[in-house]
Amino acid sequence: DSGVTQTPKHLITATGQRVTLRCSPRSGDLSVYWYQQSLDQGLQFLIHYYNGEERAKGNILERFSAQQFPDLHSELNLSSLELGDSALYFCASSVPGTSGRGSTGELFFGEGSRLTVL
Amino acid sequence: GENVEQHPSTLSVQEGDSAVIKCTYSDSASNYFPWYKQELGKGPQLIIDIRSNVGEKKDQRIAVTLNKTAKHFSLHITETQPEDSAVYFCAASIWNSGYSTLTFGKGTMLLVSP
């Protein structure tokens, strides 16, 4: 058990709909990363939040957005869903980094949320 | 941005054999190279990592080598066991002040037959 909790585990919805995926990081971790895993693209980085602030953006579509709340949990919002958005969405957290102090680089992944768009 | 290529996509070995997975990266500024193992129904889990100031690192049956000049790194698993069967991902990043956005390869499915 990595200590990272993701809900829901499975989600089936229709094209055009909107869903919210939730992530609770490990206790004390300030960084939250979102990744999308599909069969043909592997693990694609979407976005990184640190202590409530967006730190880096990857291949995240404009239809997708994320935020990190004061209690450090994070939500990934996916809207106007298309068939191609069907994938596993992973959240990962890491030890907070302050000039590298206390941070090893290791990401702790949750078990993912499997989204199926019909 | 960084691009990581990983080969092979699938690898089948007999129990006790060695397995080697290779990755190349494109950004010469990358300095952190972890390997993750993903078992069925689970999230990826770090198994070993290497930083650009060393050429090789070993942890029991697992070893990773890094060639900065050629921009490639490899995972070596010796004396494979059925429980080593999983998908393995290599990744690369620029490690800077505690933050690291990993770029992953597409993964290698390793099957170890008893």
Side-chain angles (χ1 to χ4, degrees):
Chain A
D1 182 4
S2 68
V4 177
T5 304
Q6 288 188 249
T7 58
K9 289 192 185 306
H10 301 276
L11 192 53
I12 301 173
T13 189
T15 54
Q17 294 299 304
R18 172 191 168 94
V19 298
T20 297
L21 309 180
R22 183 188 168 102
C23 169
S24 294
R26 295 188 322 154
S27 177
D29 284 359
L30 301 179
S31 270
V32 169
Y33 301 79
W34 286 97
Y35 281 84
Q36 180 192 55
Q37 185 176 37
S38 56
L39 279 174
D40 58 341
Q41 291 297 320
L43 278 161
Q44 295 280 308
F45 168 67
L46 296 178
I47 199 163
H48 169 212
Y49 275 84
Y50 175 79
N51 203 21
E53 290 186 9
E54 181 185 305
R55 286 290 177 168
K57 252 184 179 177
N59 300 322
I60 188 166
L61 300 171
E62 285 193 13
R63 300 183 285 109
F64 295 1
S65 65
Q67 54 184 324
Q68 187 179 27
F69 295 86
D71 67 353
L72 301 177
H73 90 271
S74 178
E75 293 181 356
L76 179 66
N77 300 296
L78 316 174
S79 62
S80 303
L81 286 168
E82 302 175 359
L83 296 178
D85 297 328
S86 296
L88 255 177
Y89 291 85
F90 283 104
C91 164
S93 71
S94 68
V95 177
T98 305
S99 300
R101 198 171 46 195
S103 183
T104 64
E106 181 173 3
L107 295 187
F108 295 87
F109 283 84
E111 295 196 341
S113 292
R114 182 174 294 281
L115 173 65
T116 303
V117 182
L118 301 175
Chain B
E2 177 65 273
N3 183 49
V4 177
E5 300 282 340
Q6 183 172 348
H7 299 280
S9 55
T10 60
L11 180 58
S12 294
V13 300
Q14 291 290 120
E15 183 177 359
D17 288 349
S18 295
V20 180
I21 303 170
K22 299 183 179 182
C23 290
T24 59
Y25 61 98
S26 61
D27 190 343
S28 56
S30 288
N31 58 7
Y32 177 61
F33 307 92
W35 287 85
Y36 282 77
K37 175 183 181 183
Q38 185 178 19
E39 296 176 341
L40 198 61
K42 304 275 189 185
Q45 184 175 11
L46 180 72
I47 55 172
I48 195 167
D49 58 13
I50 191 167
R51 299 181 192 271
S52 60
N53 56 346
V54 298
E56 184 173 357
K57 185 175 178 181
K58 201 170 182 180
D59 183 4
Q60 299 183 329
R61 297 185 297 109
I62 313 172
V64 58
T65 59
L66 171 66
N67 183 327
K68 285 189 296 182
T69 304
K71 288 191 280 189
H72 69 69
F73 55 114
S74 301
L75 178 72
H76 304 253
I77 306 174
T78 58
E79 300 171 23
T80 54
Q81 300 167 2
E83 50 265 38
D84 293 330
S85 295
V87 179
Y88 291 80
F89 292 94
C90 63
S93 75
I94 300 170
W95 181 246
N96 181 25
S97 299
Y99 304 112
S100 176
T101 299
L102 296 177
T103 299
F104 285 89
K106 291 192 176 181
T108 296
M109 179 176 288
L110 174 64
L111 299 170
V112 181
S113 304

